[in-house]
Structure formats: structure tokens, C-alpha cells
Amino acid sequence: MALLQAHGGLSAGLTRFRNGLVSDGWIEKGSLFATPVTLDRVAAQQARAVAQAFPDATLLVGAPACGAVPASAVARHLGCRVAYVLLQPEAAWHRMNIPKPPERVVYIDDLICTGQDACLALHFLRQEGHTVLGVSAWISRAALSGEQLVTLAPPPFRLLDASELGPDSTFEFQDIRE
């Protein structure tokens, strides 16, 4: 959280996300990706958390839209192999590495908002014959029911019930993809 704060990655204020959720702020993860040295510091922290929670992992998997860079950086710290799962238009392996089962997989992400993409990736990994040990993310707004989820920090902002907002509510940030 201190790194996000120091790099201007925390934006407090009434926020409407593209997915329709509402929060009292949002996280700009790009502020960490923009400086590789800072990203590597976060990757080292995430690697320690993965090693502690999932010591038997043989493969780290990330999605190109949000988890490929962290997965690669964390894998470097752990000496693990890495692969990437495409989630659109349907789940499939990226051609750079198609791992043969059975691997003991940890799905790596930066921020999880609803958990839909993570659940889609986990389902795909299991369908492919891999053992999913769990998920590691910097921050998660979703609980991922039935999955072991390890995060580096709790969400700094709360999700709000949009029905509780008054008609005069003014959003400081709109159309945000966290």
C-alpha cells in the first residue's frame, strides 16, 4: 500500500467502475508497472507470499490483461516456470508456453475486482488437468469462494451499494477499469 500511495496509485473519491460497481476510490496499478524497479519490489513480496502459502507450486499462470507481467516477475524470484492464459473470446493457452499436465499451479494477478476473470482462469486450468493450489494477488475485492486466496494487502477502498447513493451523488471517477 505504501508503494501505491508513494507512486500516486490510490485515488479516493466516488467511483463508478465499467462493470457497474461503485466504490469510494480506486487503484491505479499502472503507477507500479511504470517503474520496473518498483514492480520488482512488489514481485519480491508476492513471491515470498506464494512460497509460504504454496511451496509445492511448479507453474505460475497469469492473464495478459492483468496478470502476465506480475506472474513473470514473481516466477523470476521463485525460479518457477510461467504460462499465460487468454480469457477472451474463450479461455485458451497463449502459444508461448502450453504446459503439459499435471502441474501444480498458482494463478497470479495484480488486482481482483469481481473475481470473474480469476474464476474463469481457474476453471480452465482445472479442465486442462492441472492442480490449482490457489490464487495470489496484490489486492482482491472478491473472496473467491472455495479457493485459497493470498493477498499482499486488503482493499484500501470499500465497495458501495449503488442503491444507497442519492440522486445527487456526483462521481469523481467514471468508467474505471481497476
Side-chain angles (χ1 to χ4, degrees):
M1 294 312 280
L3 287 172
L4 280 167
Q5 182 72 37
H7 289 270
L10 300 179
S11 298
L14 195 56
T15 303
R16 183 185 311 273
F17 295 108
R18 285 183 189 168
N19 62 16
L21 295 177
V22 175
S23 178
D24 59 352
W26 67 284
I27 303 160
E28 175 48 79
K29 60 193 176 189
S31 66
L32 298 184
F33 283 99
T35 310
V37 170
T38 304
L39 177 62
D40 191 59
R41 288 177 60 195
V42 176
Q45 291 175 23
Q46 193 169 11
R48 285 190 293 276
V50 168
Q52 183 175 2
F54 312 109
D56 298 332
T58 59
L59 179 71
L60 303 184
V61 173
C66 50
V69 172
S72 294
V74 171
R76 184 182 69 78
H77 284 278
L78 295 175
C80 283
R81 293 178 53 240
V82 66
Y84 311 109
V85 61
L86 305 169
L87 300 175
Q88 301 296 329
E90 61 186 45
W93 289 114
H94 188 284
R95 64 177 171 74
M96 288 193 312
N97 178 21
I98 301 174
K100 301 219 182 298
E103 294 275 3
R104 297 176 59 75
V105 178
V106 176
Y107 181 72
I108 304 290
D109 212 333
D110 49 17
L111 304 175
I112 297 174
C113 190
T114 65
Q116 287 181 305
D117 286 347
C119 288
L120 178 62
L122 298 174
H123 177 73
F124 171 76
L125 293 168
R126 289 183 174 111
Q127 263 189 322
E128 290 289 299
H130 300 287
T131 300
V132 174
L133 301 177
V135 177
S136 171
W138 300 350
I139 296 167
S140 181
R141 292 182 185 269
L144 299 182
S145 179
E147 303 292 346
Q148 184 175 351
L149 172 63
V150 175
T151 60
L152 300 181
F157 303 110
R158 299 174 298 121
L159 287 178
L160 307 172
D161 185 345
S163 67
E164 294 178 19
L165 299 177
D168 297 332
S169 295
T170 302
F171 288 91
E172 291 180 59
F173 308 102
Q174 293 201 52
D175 197 33
I176 298 295
R177 183 184 192 282
E178 199 173 54

